[in-house]
Amino acid sequence: MEKFLLLLSFYLILSCSPNNKQENNKSTEVYRTTYAQGFSIKKFPDYTEVQILNPWDTTRILHTYILVPRDTQLPSNIPLGTVVRIPLKNVAVYSSVHCSMLEAIDARQTITGICDSRYITLPFIKKGLSSGKIKDLGESYSPDVEKIIELNPEAILVSPMENTGYGRVEKCGIPIIECSDYMENHPLGRTEWIRLLGLFFGQEGKADSLFSQTMTRYNELCNNLPQKVHKPSVFTETKLSSVWYQPGGNSYMACLLKDAGADYIWKNDSHTGSIALSFETVFEKAHQADIWLIKYNNEKDLTYQSLEKDYKPYNQFDAFKNKKIYGCNTLKSSYYDDLPLHPDYILKDMINIFHPGHLSDTSLKYFKKLNE
């Protein structure tokens, strides 16, 4: 009995101790996501733990970040991970997608360097490049490391690729924030990543509000589409060299096509990212499809004539013969800038293509019918 009381006393002393590790690490808040599956957030008294799931192996963690307010001392009890002082004030961004997200949460002033400038249509980025306030860091697959070191950003926002590292940039000691939002399988899952960025940039309230507004508009468009409406069969893009990429059947783009009331040719595929196919494979499955959607980046708008000139067998698709091809020139439109934050805008375009006359506003913002 005395031994039992002694053990009980020891346990009570240990459990009440302010230095108890379990008590110090007790979570005060766990973020619940609505659509996003690629990240988790736990808030502790002295820091926030962010884990990015590996989208190519969901049993593993791609990256762990420990967010600590910049005006506090670094806690002694933090777990392993990349420490990021928040809110961030000076960042380099590899992708146009994340530039538009930062603009939306009033954090555009933090962008001091960007990659792939020729693909970015955002006016504030173009203005910043011309004035010198934003540095052009080259191509995202091979950025100018010397310029990055000179810029000395507090973090670099990137879109990770499977089995691909970041070269010399990884040795600079700058936190690399891996935003794998494009691997989400729902458009609103990708949009919800703005909530994650809100944490890094001290704009949680703004980010949560924007996500909520987009989610409401998107779901209203989906819910107003009749369940028994005819669903036209659809495929996308053109071949690149010898490979023709189609959205995986479990990708956010496949979900977007489904929500717009289309019968996507590869809807039963299980991939979250793109699938690489041969021309023959695409032709076999899609040559009788009703509608063909093509995104491209060119000074001149795509026409049936230029499409056939690029590759003559394209003219054997029914969508070509029946003049049911819609093109989106991403050089002249804000498609890629809008897609992550406003999939509802893209959804509206697609509904107007697949079900003309269903919406009161029948205008197209991104796509248009190809001319001869």
Side-chain angles (χ1 to χ4, degrees):
M1 186 62 164
E2 291 180 1
K3 184 181 289 187
F4 171 76
L5 291 173
L6 182 63
L7 287 172
L8 180 61
S9 300
F10 177 76
Y11 171 76
L12 290 173
I13 292 170
L14 182 63
S15 63
C16 293
S17 170
N19 294 320
N20 181 264
K21 186 176 180 181
Q22 183 177 357
E23 181 66 25
N24 277 349
N25 285 333
K26 186 177 181 181
S27 174
T28 58
E29 182 181 358
V30 177
Y31 269 47
R32 301 295 180 187
T33 58
T34 308
Y35 288 92
Q37 300 178 18
F39 66 86
S40 65
I41 299 169
K42 292 180 181 178
K43 276 198 166 188
F44 295 85
D46 301 322
Y47 62 88
T48 298
E49 181 185 67
V50 173
Q51 289 190 327
I52 307 297
L53 197 68
N54 186 326
W56 302 281
D57 180 359
T58 54
T59 63
R60 301 177 61 189
I61 299 299
L62 182 68
H63 211 129
T64 298
Y65 302 96
I66 310 302
L67 280 52
V68 182
R70 63 192 310 132
D71 58 354
T72 65
Q73 287 189 343
L74 196 65
S76 60
N77 63 333
I78 57 175
L80 291 176
T82 300
V83 175
V84 179
R85 290 290 196 163
I86 59 169
L88 290 167
K89 294 184 177 181
N90 169 18
V91 297
V93 185
Y94 277 19
S95 166
S96 166
V97 163
H98 303 121
C99 288
S100 64
M101 282 189 165
L102 294 188
E103 181 184 30
I105 60 173
D106 297 331
R108 68 181 188 179
Q109 73 282 356
T110 65
I111 303 173
T112 55
I114 56 101
C115 288
D116 298 333
S117 60
R118 69 180 183 276
Y119 297 119
I120 300 181
T121 60
L122 293 167
F124 85 91
I125 292 291
K126 293 191 175 212
K127 183 178 180 181
L129 288 169
S130 62
S131 69
K133 288 185 178 180
I134 297 177
K135 302 298 181 185
D136 190 336
L137 303 176
E139 303 298 323
S140 57
Y141 61 83
S142 182
D144 190 321
V145 180
E146 283 68 33
K147 282 187 178 181
I148 291 176
I149 293 173
E150 182 181 348
L151 191 65
N152 193 29
E154 295 174 341
I156 303 172
L157 273 63
V158 305
S159 294
M161 302 295 288
E162 186 177 14
N163 300 322
T164 303
Y166 305 103
R168 292 169 57 205
V169 174
E170 292 185 270
K171 301 177 182 178
C172 295
I174 302 169
I176 296 176
I177 301 173
E178 300 188 276
C179 301
S180 54
D181 49 287
Y182 73 98
M183 291 295 290
E184 291 286 346
N185 58 19
H186 195 287
L188 291 173
R190 189 177 193 187
T191 303
E192 197 164 9
W193 279 69
I194 199 169
R195 297 181 66 200
L196 180 68
L197 292 183
L199 277 175
F200 280 91
F201 291 88
Q203 295 287 356
E204 293 176 60
K206 179 76 172 177
D208 289 349
S209 176
L210 285 170
F211 171 68
S212 179
Q213 292 169 22
T214 298
M215 179 174 62
T216 298
R217 288 191 298 262
Y218 186 100
N219 286 328
E220 283 177 351
L221 285 167
C222 290
N223 295 335
N224 289 329
L225 197 63
Q227 292 296 312
K228 294 184 179 180
V229 70
H230 167 70
K231 297 181 179 181
S233 52
V234 179
F235 70 110
T236 70
E237 316 312 341
T238 57
K239 72 185 189 71
L240 182 64
S241 187
S242 61
V243 179
W244 196 328
Y245 291 99
Q246 293 286 335
N250 201 30
S251 67
Y252 72 87
M253 184 53 64
C255 181
L256 191 59
L257 293 168
K258 176 181 71 69
D259 287 346
D263 181 17
Y264 177 47
I265 298 295
W266 277 272
K267 63 185 177 184
N268 294 324
D269 174 81
S270 62
H271 291 85
T272 304
S274 297
I275 48 176
L277 306 168
S278 66
F279 173 85
E280 291 75 18
T281 300
V282 175
F283 184 78
E284 180 182 356
K285 291 199 68 169
H287 70 279
Q288 291 184 319
D290 298 313
I291 295 174
W292 184 356
L293 301 181
I294 301 174
K295 295 187 298 296
Y296 62 97
N297 186 283
N298 206 316
E299 288 289 347
K300 292 184 178 181
D301 286 343
L302 188 66
T303 65
Y304 284 97
Q305 184 178 2
S306 62
L307 185 61
E308 186 175 21
K309 185 178 180 181
D310 181 51
Y311 192 63
K312 191 173 179 61
Y314 287 148
N315 65 16
Q316 295 303 304
F317 286 88
D318 283 1
F320 186 102
K321 298 174 184 177
N322 298 327
K323 302 298 182 284
K324 290 288 187 178
I325 303 178
Y326 291 79
C328 171
N329 190 344
T330 59
L331 184 65
K332 300 178 180 180
S333 81
S334 56
Y335 177 92
Y336 284 121
D337 296 328
D338 293 345
L339 177 61
L341 185 57
H342 291 295
D344 51 318
Y345 294 178
I346 316 297
L347 180 66
K348 176 179 171 292
D349 249 31
M350 290 184 173
I351 290 174
N352 277 329
I353 291 171
F354 304 147
H355 306 287
H358 172 71
L359 300 177
S360 56
D361 180 4
T362 60
S363 61
L364 295 178
K365 179 177 175 62
Y366 308 98
F367 289 89
K368 68 178 182 179
K369 271 191 171 183
L370 260 60
N371 294 320
E372 290 291 340

